[in-house]
Amino acid sequence: MADAALVLTGSPSLAPLLARGALLSPFKRPAPDAEFPRTRLVLPGLRVDLARLAAYERVCGFPTGEDALPLTYPHVLGFPLAMRLMSGRDFPLPLLGLVHTSITVTRHRGMPATGAYELAVRVEGLAPHRRGTEATVVTEVREGGDVVWESSSSYLARHRTSRPVEAPGEEVRKPLPAVAEWRLAEDVGRRYAAASGDRNPIHLHPLAARLFGFPRAIAHGMWTLARCLAAHGTPDSCHVRAAFKAPVLLPGTVTYAAEDGRFELRDGDERVHVAGDVYPA
């Protein structure tokens, strides 16, 4: 649990946080037993910018104009607070190269777009991973004192490890039936960045992506999840878990597949990019 709460008067600006995190990254020494920030950041009285929300809905495929927040939108609202924590000197993992590996989301009831909310974000802990160190970041959204939405995200910093960590055994599942084929434009990353504020260069330009080993720009992981959930649909009260397994190169063509509560985004019938489940909370 966090040791203390720091109440903010506004949402932090992402650009300087990204710059600070990039500058500090070479000096970080990631390790699962490292100290990490214990402060819980709280932003009360939050109101949603409806124009920005509409842009997000359009790029992700959600219906526009409804007085309801898409399931993934609170992550966008909480991301600047998470970035403030992860770009700080006391966060031990380098921001550059940090990979969002998974997320779980629980929505307890529908959330009006015109509502007033309180955000709270904290780093819950660090854990060893077979490829480095993983941090867990928890986000909560309250309305009238009640938690209406909460998530737990895992972020991986890859580095050499002194001891092997066994890979978790994955349940073998049969491939899901294809539902649709999506052709993704080259500018999806820039459009999502404009709507979400997440302007990580690997999503925006091929040259920046090549610096991190990608042949082309890659789609935001949270965009791929939002696009899948827009197609799948989610009840007001639900639980979602998703794993980001492989990057989606832009431009490109992907297959959306789903059956019952399961969904995935894959490269034809081969590599899976995102896999997840939706079920009632």
Side-chain angles (χ1 to χ4, degrees):
M1 294 294 292
D3 292 338
L6 175 61
V7 179
L8 306 179
T9 57
S11 185
S13 176
L14 277 171
L17 295 178
L18 284 168
R20 180 177 71 172
L23 289 172
L24 292 175
S25 286
F27 304 101
K28 297 299 180 76
R29 298 293 180 265
D33 58 353
E35 286 298 316
F36 59 90
R38 308 282 177 161
T39 302
R40 182 170 60 100
L41 299 182
V42 179
L43 179 61
L46 176 67
R47 294 279 185 177
V48 174
D49 182 328
L50 298 182
R52 185 177 171 190
L53 172 62
Y56 176 88
E57 291 169 335
R58 285 191 294 269
V59 72
C60 296
F62 291 107
T64 59
E66 298 182 357
D67 187 19
L69 293 182
L71 180 71
T72 47
Y73 198 67
H75 175 86
V76 173
L77 299 175
F79 189 64
L81 280 68
M83 284 295 299
R84 175 163 169 171
L85 291 173
M86 293 192 291
S87 65
R89 292 182 182 276
D90 55 352
F91 185 72
L93 309 187
L95 194 62
L96 286 180
L98 203 63
V99 179
H100 194 182
T101 54
S102 67
I103 186 171
T104 62
V105 176
T106 301
R107 182 171 62 190
H108 298 280
R109 62 176 186 245
M111 302 173 65
T114 52
Y117 300 101
E118 178 184 276
L119 276 171
V121 179
R122 70 181 189 273
V123 178
E124 189 169 72
L126 305 177
H129 187 280
R130 69 186 187 281
R131 294 179 179 174
T133 299
E134 207 165 48
T136 299
V137 177
V138 171
T139 301
E140 293 180 341
V141 181
R142 294 178 182 268
E143 183 183 28
D146 298 327
V147 175
V148 293
W149 187 98
E150 53 192 319
S151 75
S152 177
S153 281
S154 296
Y155 295 93
L156 172 66
R158 297 180 181 180
H159 60 86
R160 291 184 178 180
T161 57
S162 58
R163 57 180 181 176
V165 178
E166 290 187 10
E170 291 193 13
E171 179 184 354
V172 178
R173 295 178 169 184
K174 66 177 182 179
L176 298 176
V179 175
E181 185 178 86
W182 298 335
R183 294 185 178 181
L184 309 182
E186 183 267 343
D187 67 346
V188 163
R190 293 191 292 276
R191 290 171 55 213
Y192 182 82
S196 68
D198 183 356
R199 299 182 183 276
N200 187 325
I202 63 174
H203 304 302
L204 308 181
H205 303 288
L207 289 177
R210 288 186 193 121
L211 294 176
F212 291 90
F214 302 106
R216 302 193 298 278
I218 64 172
H220 296 72
M222 286 302 297
W223 177 84
T224 62
L225 175 58
R227 186 68 185 87
C228 287
L229 293 177
H232 189 281
T234 54
D236 284 345
S237 177
C238 64
H239 184 77
V240 172
R241 59 183 181 184
F244 305 109
K245 296 176 173 291
V248 175
L249 298 176
L250 300 172
T253 301
V254 292
T255 298
Y256 167 68
E259 187 174 54
D260 299 326
R262 295 174 54 204
F263 63 88
E264 63 186 19
L265 198 65
R266 62 179 186 243
D267 182 5
D269 293 324
E270 301 177 0
R271 183 172 59 168
V272 175
H273 299 289
V274 184
D277 302 84
V278 180
Y279 47 95

